[in-house]
Each structure stands twice: as structure tokens, then as C-alpha cells.
Amino acid sequence: MFDQVSEKYDITNGILTGGLIRVWRTAAREAIAPRPGLKVLDIAAGTGSSAACYAEYGADVIASDFSEGMIAKGRARYPDLKFVQADAMDLPFEDNSFDVTTISYGLRNVKDPDKALREMFRVTKPGGRLVVAEFSRPKNRLFQMAYHFYIQDFMPLVASLVSSNAAAYSYLFESIEDWPAQEEFAANMRHAGWSAVEYRNLTNGVVALHRAEKPLD
């Protein structure tokens, strides 16, 4: 599915989010705090837009994704960025390899998100951090109703006009609706071993930016 939407993926995301994807990406970058010498694993990196942003700040970034189509598009766009095809539930990296492991809008598409959280824990160094940006639950009731209408009725119409595979977006909308709320996902992170778990709502909770640390011991 992601191979099929890779051609217009970034353009479609920008249109469907009304440009907010840039605001959310900035928030994720600030949470990651990329700098020279920082080793970052960006999972479900897609075409590498986020990973390239982190690399611009000097971080040593690996962009990983399950989709060959996404990686092919990313390599053509960012030839200096390192891409690795990888399954989030079985990462091809050594234990304790990265200072920061991050995933944006991809964890809800993994078959077993809890297993992926454990894999992220494994490859992150003790004292290292996890940053997860994911669609979540708006907090205001009226806003929640408007958002529900938007993703159920309006977004499919827009996707039919701008996406390279509009049918695929029906699944993506359903996956947003099925994803656990902020506190439930935070509990899942703790269960996977992460500590100092916290989250910040973006755009009234349309997106939640979750952060955690791997204990030193």
C-alpha cells in the first residue's frame, strides 16, 4: 500500500493536514534535539523528509522503512541520507545502538505496536530517548466532533483528488480512529520498559507527541 502512495505521499500529507505537518515536524525535531554526534534512528521514515531535517542539524541519522517504494523515492530525493529497509518489529540493528529512536505517524501501521516498542527499547542506548508522534484524540468535545467529520467525510474526498492511490487512505483513516488515546498509549510505552513517559498534545490532541527514556540500569 505504501509503495503505491509513495509518488505523491508528501504532497498529499501537506494538503490533508492543511500544512500542519510542518508544525508537527518542528515539534518532533525540537523534542529530538538533533546535534552533531547524536545517533538517531528514524523508523517508518517514508521518503525521508523528517530524517533529512534531523540530519541538517548535524545528527547521524538512519532512515528506516518497511516500504521499498518509499525508500526508493527517498534515496532519489536525499542521496546523502542513509536508508535501511527494516521491519519495526525486527530491527536489523545491534542492542544499544542509538541515542534517540523516533517514529512519526507509522506505529499505528505496525502489526504489533507493542513488539515494535520493545524493539525500539532494545536498539536504544541506556539513557537514550524515544520520541513518537502519532495521531491521537482531540480533547475538546466540539473539536473532536468536527475532526471526526473531517477524517471520515472530507479527507477521503480530498484524497481522491490529490493522492496517487486514494483507496489506500481509507485504511489510514480507519487506523487513526482505532489508535489508543494518549494515556492508554503512554501506559503501553511503560509496559515495554520505557521510563519518564510523558506526552504533549499538538493541535488540541489531533497529534500527540510522546517522549520517554531508556533507564540507565
Side-chain angles (χ1 to χ4, degrees), residues 163-176:
S163 172
S164 53
N165 184 355
Y169 280 84
S170 295
Y171 157 74
L172 295 178
F173 305 146
E174 292 170 5
S175 70
I176 292 173

Side-chain angles (χ1 to χ4, degrees), residues 15-85:
I15 293 173
L16 292 180
T17 64
L20 284 171
I21 188 68
R22 296 184 182 90
V23 176
W24 302 335
R25 185 174 296 152
T26 297
R29 173 182 56 76
E30 290 174 348
I32 292 167
R35 63 182 184 275
L38 193 75
K39 297 192 66 175
V40 178
L41 173 63
D42 189 9
I43 301 172
T47 61
S49 298
S50 294
C53 175
Y54 311 148
E56 286 179 1
Y57 284 79
D60 180 8
V61 185
I62 292 180
S64 71
D65 201 279
F66 191 70
S67 165
E68 292 181 359
M70 288 289 191
I71 289 177
K73 187 77 173 178
R75 284 173 173 158
R77 181 176 296 173
Y78 304 108
D80 296 329
L81 190 63
K82 183 176 181 180
F83 284 86
V84 175
Q85 187 175 12

Side-chain angles (χ1 to χ4, degrees), residues 7 17 42 58-59 82-83 107 122 141 144 146 173 194 196 209:
E7 184 63 30
T17 64
D42 189 9
K82 183 176 181 180
F83 284 86
L107 192 54
R122 179 184 65 81
R141 180 59 181 243
Q144 188 177 51
F173 305 146
W194 296 96
L209 186 64

Side-chain angles (χ1 to χ4, degrees), residues 138-147 204:
K139 305 307 292 182
N140 180 277
R141 180 59 181 243
L142 291 177
F143 190 91
Q144 188 177 51
M145 292 173 63
Y147 175 65
N204 197 257

Side-chain angles (χ1 to χ4, degrees), residues 191-212:
H191 187 71
W194 296 96
S195 65
V197 176
E198 59 183 11
Y199 68 86
R200 170 189 169 197
N201 285 322
L202 306 177
T203 317
N204 197 257
V206 169
V207 166
L209 186 64
H210 291 263
R211 292 172 291 178

Side-chain angles (χ1 to χ4, degrees), residues 90-131:
D90 187 18
L91 295 169
F93 307 108
E94 298 292 330
D95 295 357
N96 308 321
S97 295
F98 300 96
D99 298 301
V100 180
T101 301
T102 183
I103 182 169
S104 296
Y105 320 109
L107 192 54
R108 73 182 190 283
N109 300 312
V110 177
K111 183 177 180 180
D112 188 342
D114 293 332
K115 185 174 183 181
L117 285 172
R118 294 192 296 271
E119 270 294 272
M120 295 178 206
F121 186 88
R122 179 184 65 81
V123 301
T124 303
K125 297 177 182 178
R129 295 174 289 126
L130 172 67
V131 176

